[in-house]
Amino acid sequence: MRLPTVLIGRYVPANSIVHKIDPRAKLLGMILLITSILIVPSLVFYIVPGAVVLLLILLSKTGFRIYLAGLKSLWFLIIFAVVVQFLSPQDGRKIIWFITDKAILSAVYILLRLLLIILLAENFSATTPPLMTARAIESLFSLLGARKLGHEIGMVMTIAMRFVPILALEADRILKAQISRGANFERGRFIDRLKALIVIIVPLLASALRKAEELATAMEARLYTGEPPRVKYRDIEWKAADTLYVLFTLCVLLFVLFSQNLFNGVL
């Protein structure tokens, strides 16, 4: 048994156009693209957000292998969502047993949505340092007059994202330690294998609580409060290219939003 690689929460440094985009622009663009993915009216129009996500992956120069590894780590969630859509009772023409054509179409919709959203989140995580993500959230909330709330949300999200790969490596270490002691996670019934995972979950939970306590102690020792004024080590500057990127993602959203009316009677 081998634990899969987790990409979400892991920054992959590279000299690419996507890495140089302002984190605030990338965050706004990701929100607009996710919205466009969720409101696609027809399967045909998934080509547009899908092509944009593929373009971002190519321009990020991080390689496809790490994205495939990230999808592999979430295969259970994807398959579970697809199976639920298959088995959900829906009206339509029956294809086999009680599975209808609408259920199959719904399963394809949820599959494409999950794949594109996961790939988009992985691209944002791989091209944006966690601290820059917190800065982006804080800056956007400050425009709404809620700078302190934005800083707290950004800090919580940053810590959570940083802990994802750390806990994945810790789980892999615990797994190898239990296998070296004679634990077997491959044989037996499915229920027995689930019960065997307790020897991984309990130490992992204890390790997570210990790391959280150490982090809280370190922040208190440095008198961290989150209250302004706070000094920034490096300022982020909004450029013209960032505006163009946000406008581009906005155009994708508007195209998807009005695509049904634009191409009504054509497709």
Side-chain angles (χ1 to χ4, degrees):
M1 181 178 182
R2 184 179 180 275
L3 293 179
T5 305
V6 178
L7 178 60
I8 297 178
R10 179 180 300 177
Y11 174 66
V12 182
N15 185 20
S16 71
I17 299 176
V18 182
H19 282 76
K20 296 177 181 178
I21 298 176
D22 190 289
R24 295 167 292 185
K26 278 191 281 189
L27 183 60
L28 289 174
M30 184 177 67
I31 294 173
L32 292 174
L33 288 176
I34 289 178
T35 305
S36 64
I37 292 171
L38 294 176
I39 65 172
V40 169
S42 176
L43 288 177
V44 177
F45 297 109
Y46 270 112
I47 297 176
V48 178
V52 174
V53 173
L54 180 61
L55 180 63
L56 290 175
I57 293 175
L58 291 174
L59 293 177
S60 65
K61 297 181 180 179
T62 52
F64 282 97
R65 184 175 300 178
I66 59 175
Y67 291 96
L68 295 177
L71 289 175
K72 185 179 178 182
S73 65
L74 298 172
W75 67 269
F76 181 79
L77 172 64
I78 297 173
I79 293 178
F80 178 77
V82 172
V83 170
V84 168
Q85 294 297 322
F86 264 123
L87 301 181
S88 59
Q90 298 188 33
D91 297 331
R93 183 169 55 89
K94 289 186 178 181
I95 303 299
I96 181 173
W97 294 331
F98 57 89
I99 300 177
T100 63
D101 54 348
K102 288 188 177 181
I104 296 176
L105 185 63
S106 179
V108 175
Y109 267 110
I110 198 68
L111 176 62
L112 291 175
R113 286 174 180 173
L114 284 176
L115 288 178
L116 292 178
I117 290 175
I118 291 173
L119 289 175
L120 192 59
E122 289 179 342
N123 179 262
F124 177 82
S125 175
T127 58
T128 310
L131 290 179
M132 290 295 102
T133 302
R135 290 278 300 279
I137 295 175
E138 180 181 350
S139 178
L140 293 177
F141 269 86
S142 64
L143 297 177
L144 303 176
R147 181 182 181 277
K148 186 175 185 299
L149 176 62
H151 173 75
E152 293 175 351
I153 294 176
M155 182 59 65
V156 170
M157 290 185 61
T158 301
I159 294 175
M161 290 174 63
R162 290 291 294 270
F163 264 79
V164 169
I166 292 175
L167 291 180
L169 293 175
E170 183 73 11
D172 188 58
R173 185 185 65 82
I174 295 173
L175 175 65
K176 292 177 180 177
Q178 295 296 347
I179 292 177
S180 66
R181 294 183 177 92
N184 192 340
F185 301 98
E186 299 291 344
R187 299 178 182 177
R189 296 179 301 174
F190 181 72
I191 299 298
D192 295 333
R193 282 183 285 177
L194 287 180
K195 291 179 180 178
L197 290 178
I198 295 177
V199 298
I200 297 178
I201 295 174
V202 173
L204 182 62
L205 180 60
S207 176
L209 293 176
R210 184 174 61 254
K211 291 181 183 298
E213 184 178 2
E214 292 174 354
L215 178 61
T217 302
M219 295 175 70
E220 290 177 356
R222 291 168 174 79
L223 302 179
Y224 173 82
T225 60
E227 296 289 344
R230 291 177 52 81
V231 179
K232 302 293 189 302
Y233 177 73
R234 187 179 68 179
D235 290 330
I236 51 179
E237 182 181 355
W238 188 278
K239 301 178 291 295
D242 305 320
T243 304
L244 292 176
Y245 175 73
V246 175
L247 291 177
F248 172 71
T249 55
L250 180 60
C251 290
V252 173
L253 174 61
L254 293 176
F255 174 82
V256 172
L257 187 61
F258 298 105
S259 58
Q260 193 69 26
N261 295 329
L262 291 174
F263 294 91
N264 188 25
V266 178
L267 296 177

